[in-house]
């Protein structure tokens, strides 16, 4: 009778112990027993195969760690305490493991037994899921940090002219210091590239590199972007609060691009961050500590901006600790051959540049500097029929790009108009080269045929 037997407590206990062992042993992915020196006494075949042994007998007498990397059986024997639930990473998948000391009649530890379970034990699957999701979170945090790391190093700053070498020398020196750096130079001269490279060569290289561009963000949003917002300061999506760039850059480098376009009120707040190393998120009254290295860049004449009262003198002096003047391309035209070669390679192009074509490039004024050079070369490779870039290809590429020199004097066209103008020119040229053959032009442009037709209609271009 069941009732009878359940009253025999000693017997129940023995049965329970027996079933416990059997259930666990049977459903385990592996079982191992070690002696008091943590040498393997017994191991089941399944477990031995998992660790690459042909036969379990090969494991007998070996220190457990030799067979099971990362095993903690020795700890269990030494301390006499079980490790009831743990994860053991193995080449195939993580296992849930349980390790128990084995005691003799007098209570002395004489060895240990370990069970490796895995997801056949359904009851453990929430735990495994959690483990897997934590692993995933870790991986995505790591990749986020990677995304915030520097994109360029000094090796990518091409140029052996005296002016280029001087820039690189100063930038390298700046990398070993923690003071603010001020990069001055026309648009497209490589200021952003240098900012990345300085960070990458600095002791903060393993921390984040975060950029904020004062010219690209509307003034009303800039402060929140910079300092973040406190929870509850806004309604809707922002209600939870959001980390600012300053916080994202904590411990790393903050790149302030186009600082000459920073509005005056924000200039004052930035100055305070630089001096006091603390700030308040928008809508909060809590001070946060800040440890960032600042690299600022601008294509504006900051002295003139100061004279007009548009840039704070105290901020200028605070930033102007390590100024680096990045020369315009026209001042270092001897770098042109090396630059074109590096850019063509970077574009994945196999084109070779004819000498005369190079000479033509050398005569251009390059108001857009290396960015413009890159655009011209990219365009020329798209226009060229042959594997060589000839004078005509370069002339075509130079001619069709909007001259950037006029940018400063004439009003800047709206973004949409500029894009449209560019698109219109590009499509017209493509059509012309294909003698009005739309399918062929679509193929060369890498567009679908109907997409190109729609664009032609939208832009009012006649295909013939
Ligand atoms: N010395 C250089 N060598 C190679 N590429 C360069 C160099 N300077 C700039 N570039 C390239 O030119 C483009 C514009 O550079 P960027 O750093 O954005 O200029 P800026 O910030 O001064 O406007 C980028 O594609 C960059 O990689
Ligand atoms: Mg720039």
């Amino acid at each position: 009778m069941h009732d009878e037997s359940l009253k025999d407590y000693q017997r129940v206990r023995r049965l329970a112990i027996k079933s416990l062992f059997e259930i666990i042993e049977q459903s385990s992915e592996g079982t191992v027993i070690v002696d008091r020196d943590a040498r393997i006494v017994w191991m089941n075949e399944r477990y031995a195969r998992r660790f690459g042994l042909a036969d379990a007998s090969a494991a007998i007498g070996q220190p457990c760690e030799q067979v099971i990397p990362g095993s903690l059986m020795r700890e269990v024997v030494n301390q006499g305490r079980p490790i009831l639930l743990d994860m053991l990473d193995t080449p195939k998948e993580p296992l849930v493991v349980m390790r128990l000391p084995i005691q003799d009649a007098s209570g002395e530890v004489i060895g240990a037994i370990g069970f490796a379970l895995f997801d056949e034990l359904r009851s453990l699957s929430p735990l495994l899921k959690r483990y897997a999701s934590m692993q995933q979170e870790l991986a995505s945090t790591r990749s986020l940090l990677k995304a915030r790391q520097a994109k360029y190093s000094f090796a990518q700053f091409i140029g052996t002219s005296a002016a280029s070498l001087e820039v690189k020398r100063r930038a390298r020196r700046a990398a070993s210091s923690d003071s603010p750096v001020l990069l001055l130079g026309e648009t497209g001269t490589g200021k952003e590239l240098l900012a990345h490279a300085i960070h990458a060569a600095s002791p903060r290289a393993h921390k984040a590199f975060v950029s904020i561009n004062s010219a690209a963000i509307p003034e009303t949003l800039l402060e929140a972007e910079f300092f973040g917002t406190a929870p509850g300061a806004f309604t809707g999506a922002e209600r939870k609060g959001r980390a600012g760039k300053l916080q994202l850059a904590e411990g790393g480098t903050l790149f302030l691009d186009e600082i000459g376009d920073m509005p005056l009120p924000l200039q004052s707040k930035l100055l305070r961050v630089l001096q006091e190393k603390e700030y308040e998120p928008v809508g909060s009254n809590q001070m946060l500590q800040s440890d960032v290295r600042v690299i600022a860049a601008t294509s504006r004449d900051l002295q003139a901006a100061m004279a007009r009262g548009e840039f704070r003198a105290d901020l200028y002096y605070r930033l102007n600790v390590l100024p680096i003047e990045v020369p315009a391309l026209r001042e270092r035209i001897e770098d042109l051959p090396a630059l074109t070669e590096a850019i063509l390679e970077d574009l994945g192009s196999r084109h070779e540049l004819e000498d005369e074509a190079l000479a033509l490039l050398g005569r251009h004024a390059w108001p857009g500097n290396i960015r413009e050079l890159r655009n011209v070369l990219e365009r020329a490779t798209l226009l060229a029929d042959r594997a060589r870039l000839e004078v005509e290809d370069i002339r075509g590429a130079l001619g069709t790009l909007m001259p950037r020199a006029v940018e400063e004097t004439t009003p800047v066209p709206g973004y949409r108009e500029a894009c449209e103008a560019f698109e219109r020119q590009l499509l017209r040229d493509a059509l012309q080269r294909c003698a009005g053959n739309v399918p062929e032009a679509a193929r060369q442009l890498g567009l679908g045929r109907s997409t190109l037709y729609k664009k032609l209609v939208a832009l009012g271009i006649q295909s013939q």
Side-chain angles (χ1 to χ4, degrees), residues 120-135:
E120 273 158 41
L121 259 199
R122 292 280 159 230
S123 57
L124 280 174
S125 80
L127 189 75
L128 287 176
K129 266 194 206 131
R130 208 173 126 72
Y131 185 74
S133 90
M134 273 161 63
Q135 295 278 48

Side-chain angles (χ1 to χ4, degrees), residues 117-434:
L117 315 165
F118 91 142
D119 75 354
E120 273 158 41
L121 259 199
R122 292 280 159 230
S123 57
L124 280 174
S125 80
L127 189 75
L128 287 176
K129 266 194 206 131
R130 208 173 126 72
Y131 185 74
S133 90
M134 273 161 63
Q135 295 278 48
Q136 221 163 35
E137 226 170 276
L138 185 66
S140 80
T141 308
R142 282 200 181 124
S143 77
L144 250 182
L145 187 62
K146 209 162 166 215
R148 292 212 182 96
Q149 271 168 355
K151 282 194 238 138
Y152 301 103
S153 66
F154 285 121
Q156 275 140 294
F157 189 89
I158 307 296
T160 50
S161 62
S164 294
L165 292 179
E166 174 62 12
V167 163
K168 276 214 240 192
R169 194 184 62 79
R170 291 182 71 101
R172 280 222 172 79
R173 219 173 46 198
S176 59
S177 137
D178 215 32
S179 306
V181 179
L182 183 58
L183 296 163
L184 302 162
E186 293 178 10
T187 180
T189 46
K191 299 184 296 297
E192 187 169 348
L193 187 161
L194 284 169
H196 279 270
I198 291 171
H199 170 75
S202 80
R204 294 172 181 260
H206 59 288
K207 295 288 184 64
F209 176 92
V210 177
S211 323
I212 182 162
N213 185 329
S214 292
I217 301 170
E219 195 173 326
T220 46
L221 301 181
L222 206 50
E223 198 181 327
E225 192 70 20
F226 215 92
F227 297 105
T229 57
F234 294 96
T235 52
E238 295 287 14
R239 212 185 33 185
K240 278 194 197 147
R242 189 161 54 97
K245 299 274 181 170
L246 210 46
Q247 196 180 337
L248 296 176
E250 180 63 18
T253 302
L254 184 65
F255 176 48
L256 305 171
D257 204 359
E258 304 299 352
I259 193 155
D261 293 78
M262 186 177 271
L264 276 168
L266 195 58
Q267 289 180 26
S268 319
K269 291 188 175 159
L270 171 63
L271 183 64
R272 182 157 147 203
V273 175
L274 291 173
Q275 282 172 343
E276 320 288 335
K277 311 237 173 285
E278 57 181 26
Y279 66 98
E280 270 174 30
V282 177
S284 139
N285 44 22
Q286 190 199 356
M287 277 293 172
L288 295 182
Q289 297 297 309
S290 161
D291 167 32
V292 296
R293 199 274 171 94
V294 166
I295 302 180
T298 185
S299 51
R300 290 192 186 244
D301 180 346
L302 286 185
Q303 311 247 13
M306 270 192 305
R308 289 193 302 268
E310 289 166 12
F311 202 84
R312 287 185 66 121
D314 42 11
L315 178 59
Y316 174 76
Y317 293 115
R318 190 79 190 85
L319 289 173
N320 198 32
V321 184
L322 292 169
I324 300 178
E325 303 239 10
V326 192
L329 179 52
R330 78 189 82 84
E331 291 159 16
R332 42 177 285 215
I333 210 74
E334 62 262 49
D335 287 338
L336 198 60
L339 277 167
T340 51
E341 197 180 306
I343 292 171
L344 285 174
E345 193 180 314
D346 196 49
L347 290 171
S349 141
R350 300 240 180 87
H351 290 85
E352 266 183 52
L353 196 66
E354 269 198 345
D355 287 350
E356 266 179 70
L358 183 63
L360 178 61
L361 288 175
R363 289 196 294 275
H364 186 63
W366 300 114
N369 293 293
I370 301 166
R371 183 179 295 112
E372 184 187 5
L373 174 64
R374 200 185 158 92
N375 290 345
V376 167
L377 289 174
E378 185 165 16
R379 193 165 161 72
T381 58
L382 292 174
L383 294 176
D385 303 320
R386 289 161 295 270
R388 292 179 71 76
L389 293 180
E390 299 175 5
V391 177
E392 277 318 304
D393 302 316
I394 297 296
R395 189 167 291 140
L398 280 169
T400 45
L401 280 177
M402 238 193 287
R404 278 179 164 260
V406 298
E407 238 181 43
E408 321 259 302
T409 48
T410 56
V412 178
Y415 181 77
R416 199 203 300 246
E417 289 97 284
C419 289
E420 267 187 29
F422 176 80
E423 212 177 1
R424 188 173 289 120
Q425 189 66 51
L426 181 73
L427 301 189
R428 275 209 187 114
D429 285 357
L431 275 175
Q432 207 176 1
R433 300 204 139 248
C434 304

